[in-house]
Amino acid sequence: MFEKVIRDSVHGDIYINEEVVYEIINTPEMQRMRRILQLGGAQFAYPGASHTRFSHSIGVYHIVGMFLDAPGFKEVNHKDRVLVKLAGLMHDFGHGPFSHTFEKITTKSHEAYTADIIRNPQGNIAPILKRFKIDPEEVIQIIEGVYPNKAVNLLVSSQLDADRLDYLMRDSYNCGVNYAALDIKWMVRHAQVVDDKIVFPKKLVYAIESYLLGRYHMYKQVYNHKLSIAFDAMFMVWFKRLKYLFDKNYQFKHLQIVEMFKEIFNNQEIPLDKYLNFDDYFIFEIFKMCAAEDDQILADLSDRLVNRRIFAYCEFSDIKVGEMKAKLKEAGYNLDYYFISITPKQSLIYKDGIIDGKDERIYIQNHNKIQSIQKLSLLTDSMKEINEIKLEKKYLFPKEIV
């Protein structure tokens, strides 16, 4: 029997029992994931948050395997087992630099790039899959949630899936916080497939509540940390200045900048072969190139991103907003780039119902009935109250002005 072992900081020994999986891990497409940080701007708040999409993808593969080993999944056939483990391994292939941050300036989602990378006949993935008699389109169907076996789709993408279980544990561990100390073995062991749904027994309600609260606290303290939000906002104004200069026919010292970004500047799709060259290391090199440009705004914003001179993140009354704008103008700052207003995305505990055509419920078996956890949880009122909170607008500007 084929077997390789990967030692993981979160799960311990991870056993690779499929030769096709091992070959995929050693492709350039998978190795690129080593150069995509999992948490983007959160690295500036948590020094240990330097883990990558590579380790996360291996972890998702592992947790999918844990589900499949549970008694409640014994009816899943061999073909679907291999397909869903591959889907877990490759579900993040399409992420660009700083994960979700880069996606804000492209015309195509990371999910669409993931599908393109897997099916690309000139790439490494499709030929390997076909050599093992595996249809790349079926792997893509699971990632996109449209594979005929609905239960295996849910292992990769649902409100309680292998993806979320791994990133919560991994992000918590690497950030040095303890919001997501999940009883994962207990939850996975009792999961079962009922009527194309993943269902948990009633005795797991408290463990799932802990998972939901842990995820909520991770969003509040890590994913929506003010430094992470500020980094994203600064990246956007940095790119705004870059594109402005391109549109004004500015002569960049480094022609590579224009060559690599020309499709994005023109709102076109980045060709796949070029997209695969984009990673965190590459963008930091672009920041360093731009820091040497003659344009003062681009050079300053680039230096700030390289050297963690992140903007302050505050709430103001309307009067103080006016005062701050006047202060920035007086100091010579261009408000288009040095005064940013944003409304942070709401952090939710739980989404109940059909969202964008997808069933987002976590199902509990209560005697002979299968119900959403919201019907049984003591947190239901809190879930509703938190979901209805309206977040105030925030303002970002250079710290040295305060």
Side-chain angles (χ1 to χ4, degrees):
M1 184 180 76
F2 182 85
E3 182 177 277
K4 296 288 182 180
V5 182
I6 294 174
R7 302 191 72 179
D8 181 64
S9 59
V10 174
H11 302 298
D13 288 350
I14 294 177
Y15 290 86
I16 308 297
N17 297 125
E18 303 87 7
E19 191 173 354
V20 62
V21 169
Y22 187 68
E23 289 200 21
I24 295 292
I25 287 172
N26 287 303
T27 61
E29 289 88 341
M30 181 72 186
Q31 293 300 312
R32 172 178 168 270
M33 295 291 96
R34 292 184 185 273
R35 304 187 298 276
I36 306 289
L37 292 184
Q38 176 77 8
L39 290 182
Q43 64 181 298
F44 296 107
Y46 299 94
S50 57
H51 56 299
T52 65
R53 292 273 162 185
F54 181 88
S55 59
H56 166 60
S57 298
I58 299 290
V60 175
Y61 161 86
H62 173 67
I63 295 177
V64 169
M66 290 175 64
F67 272 105
L68 295 174
D69 288 340
F73 284 80
K74 63 184 179 181
E75 299 302 323
V76 178
N77 63 47
H78 175 74
K79 174 191 172 184
D80 287 357
R81 286 171 181 270
V82 175
L83 285 174
V84 70
K85 291 175 88 171
L86 285 165
L89 181 73
M90 297 190 285
H91 76 287
D92 273 347
F93 269 14
H95 270 296
F98 312 121
S99 294
H100 294 283
T101 305
F102 189 73
E103 202 166 356
K104 296 173 183 176
I105 66 170
T106 60
T107 60
K108 189 170 177 177
S109 70
H110 78 270
E111 291 93 348
Y113 274 116
T114 295
D116 286 351
I117 291 167
I118 293 172
R119 67 165 59 100
N120 179 20
Q122 280 77 49
N124 298 283
I125 306 302
I128 291 173
L129 294 177
K130 289 176 181 177
R131 183 154 46 81
F132 283 90
K133 306 290 190 273
I134 295 168
D135 184 353
E137 293 302 325
E138 291 185 319
V139 178
I140 293 167
Q141 285 173 11
I142 292 177
I143 294 171
E144 294 179 344
V146 296
Y147 188 67
N149 186 340
K150 295 178 181 178
V152 300
N153 297 334
L154 296 172
L155 288 179
V156 177
S157 181
S158 63
Q159 270 211 77
L160 206 172
D161 58 21
D163 178 28
R164 296 188 189 197
L165 287 170
D166 182 80
Y167 77 60
L168 288 173
M169 294 176 68
R170 192 169 300 279
D171 297 347
S172 176
Y173 173 85
N174 283 283
C175 290
V177 299
N178 198 31
Y179 301 118
L182 307 176
D183 198 349
I184 181 172
K185 291 182 180 178
W186 173 252
M187 288 192 285
V188 168
R189 187 167 72 246
H190 289 90
Q192 58 183 312
V193 179
V194 180
D195 297 332
D196 291 329
K197 301 177 180 67
I198 296 177
V199 177
F200 300 89
K202 187 180 178 183
K203 63 183 178 181
L204 258 73
V205 167
Y206 302 121
I208 295 172
E209 285 177 340
S210 178
Y211 157 79
L212 292 171
L213 284 173
R215 189 179 72 186
Y216 174 71
H217 291 141
M218 285 293 288
Y219 269 93
K220 296 296 288 184
Q221 295 296 320
V222 176
Y223 307 134
N224 289 336
H225 190 284
K226 62 183 181 181
L227 282 177
S228 182
I229 292 173
F231 173 82
D232 282 3
M234 288 182 69
F235 180 83
M236 294 302 293
V237 294
W238 170 84
F239 180 76
K240 176 182 174 182
R241 185 62 179 180
L242 199 66
K243 186 175 187 310
Y244 170 83
L245 293 174
F246 171 80
D247 291 342
K248 294 294 183 181
N249 294 315
Y250 172 85
Q251 296 302 303
F252 289 92
K253 292 180 181 178
H254 298 277
L255 297 179
Q256 185 183 8
I257 296 171
V258 174
E259 177 56 33
M260 290 305 293
F261 283 87
K262 63 183 180 182
E263 288 86 8
I264 307 178
F265 290 151
N266 292 306
N267 293 316
Q268 297 171 350
E269 182 180 317
I270 307 169
L272 189 58
D273 59 341
K274 180 184 283 192
Y275 186 80
L276 288 169
N277 289 318
F278 282 92
D279 56 39
D280 290 39
Y281 297 177
F282 173 74
I283 294 297
F284 268 111
E285 285 302 313
I286 295 291
F287 288 159
K288 287 189 276 187
M289 289 178 191
C290 290
E293 288 289 342
D294 292 330
D295 180 77
Q296 187 176 358
I297 293 174
L298 179 65
D300 179 64
L301 291 172
S302 301
D303 182 74
R304 288 175 184 273
L305 289 166
V306 170
N307 292 307
R308 195 185 175 272
R309 294 194 294 127
I310 308 297
F311 286 177
Y313 175 93
C314 300
E315 255 179 58
F316 289 118
S317 68
D318 288 338
I319 295 174
K320 286 187 177 178
V321 166
E323 290 176 0
M324 181 55 67
K325 284 183 175 181
K327 200 171 183 180
L328 285 164
K329 277 186 179 179
E330 187 179 342
Y333 288 99
N334 185 321
L335 296 184
D336 287 341
Y337 303 98
Y338 289 93
F339 190 80
I340 309 169
S341 64
I342 59 170
T343 302
K345 188 177 178 182
Q346 176 64 298
S347 303
L348 306 178
I349 291 185
Y350 176 70
K351 296 184 290 185
D352 189 76
I354 308 296
I355 312 294
D356 296 328
K358 182 178 171 184
D359 191 346
E360 288 285 0
R361 300 180 185 93
I362 296 174
Y363 285 101
I364 303 295
Q365 187 153 25
N366 182 21
H367 301 297
N368 294 323
K369 284 197 280 187
I370 294 176
Q371 301 172 289
S372 166
I373 193 171
Q374 193 158 342
K375 300 287 186 183
L376 301 166
S377 175
L378 296 175
L379 298 176
T380 297
D381 290 340
S382 297
M383 291 177 189
K384 290 178 179 176
E385 287 178 17
I386 288 172
N387 290 356
E388 291 170 1
I389 292 174
K390 301 297 182 186
L391 296 183
E392 297 295 326
K393 188 176 286 188
K394 307 288 184 182
Y395 300 93
L396 296 93
F397 52 86
K399 286 183 180 179
E400 57 267 27
I401 285 298
V402 180

